[in-house]
Amino acid sequence: MANVQIRVLLMSDWGIYRRLRLLALQDSPDSFGSTYEREAEFIDEEWISRLNASNRAKHALPLIAELDGVAVGLAWGQIHSSSSIPMNTDAAHVYQMWMSPRARGYGLSKLLLNSIIDWAKKSNRKVVCLEVTIANEAAVNLYKSIGFVAVGETQTLREGSALLTQTMILELCG
């Protein structure tokens, strides 16, 4: 049985975060609004700053999944001060969701998502929101299996892309 751990990224983990984020952008370029070319240009201080609790948004939950001590997955929970989702309620958002191909199938993506969902509940959010590239059937099916539903119109992934994204939300009970 593999040893699995989900943990919060600390500022001292910036090198791990940088490596995972760049791997994600290379492995799944059609899953993110940013690109490898853009983020590979970031200086070390940018990566450190993203994980600095005093610099980043007040309510952020940067997570990694580790399999047998190796960082293999990433997800970032974020609570913005205002939200444009239906029902005018504040929401928790999921960003940067990615799992290494070698670690897929172990349920780590669900563990990352459930950690963000639990955090959102403890933060008194009523909804968890994310964007998914509709051509990524595995991701869409993962989100649906947890209870996320599509809302609103599709949008272009990023300027110049033919790919479309769909907003999905998960309504949280009490």
Side-chain angles (χ1 to χ4, degrees):
M1 173 102 182
N3 180 20
V4 172
Q5 182 179 5
I6 304 297
R7 70 175 182 86
V8 175
L9 282 163
L10 304 173
M11 196 166 70
S12 60
D13 294 321
W14 72 269
I16 296 168
Y17 171 56
R18 178 185 186 274
R19 182 180 62 78
L20 280 179
R21 178 67 174 157
L22 293 177
L23 281 171
L25 291 166
Q26 284 181 307
D27 174 68
S28 304
D30 295 335
S31 296
F32 303 102
S34 189
T35 65
Y36 173 83
E37 293 75 20
R38 177 179 176 268
E39 294 195 20
E41 295 293 320
F42 289 170
I43 60 174
D44 293 351
E45 287 75 17
E46 170 66 23
W47 297 102
I48 294 167
S49 177
R50 287 181 172 194
L51 294 176
N52 184 339
S54 63
N55 288 347
R56 71 175 183 238
K58 184 176 179 182
H59 300 290
L61 184 69
L63 297 173
I64 59 169
E66 294 175 326
L67 183 62
D68 294 328
V70 177
V72 294
L74 176 66
W76 193 289
Q78 182 84 35
I79 296 173
H80 301 285
S81 57
S82 65
S83 179
S84 60
I85 64 149
M87 302 176 289
N88 283 335
T89 184
D90 284 343
H93 297 261
V94 178
Y95 298 108
Q96 301 186 27
M97 182 74 192
W98 178 77
M99 188 59 55
S100 168
R102 79 171 192 85
R104 292 175 188 160
Y106 287 94
L108 294 171
S109 294
K110 279 190 176 183
L111 290 174
L112 284 168
L113 282 170
N114 285 329
S115 293
I116 292 173
I117 292 165
D118 290 344
W119 170 75
K121 288 177 180 177
K122 289 176 186 169
S123 299
N124 297 315
R125 300 297 135 176
K126 294 185 174 80
V127 176
V128 178
C129 181
L130 56 81
E131 299 285 325
V132 62
T133 304
I134 60 176
N136 186 343
E137 289 182 39
V140 171
N141 289 335
L142 167 67
Y143 301 139
K144 283 181 178 179
S145 75
I146 292 175
F148 282 86
V149 295
V151 296
E153 301 294 319
T154 58
Q155 298 194 16
T156 304
L157 173 63
R158 68 178 89 83
E159 188 176 326
S161 176
L163 295 169
L164 297 175
T165 63
Q166 175 68 59
T167 298
M168 296 185 81
I169 66 169
L170 174 69
E171 292 191 35
L172 305 175
C173 300

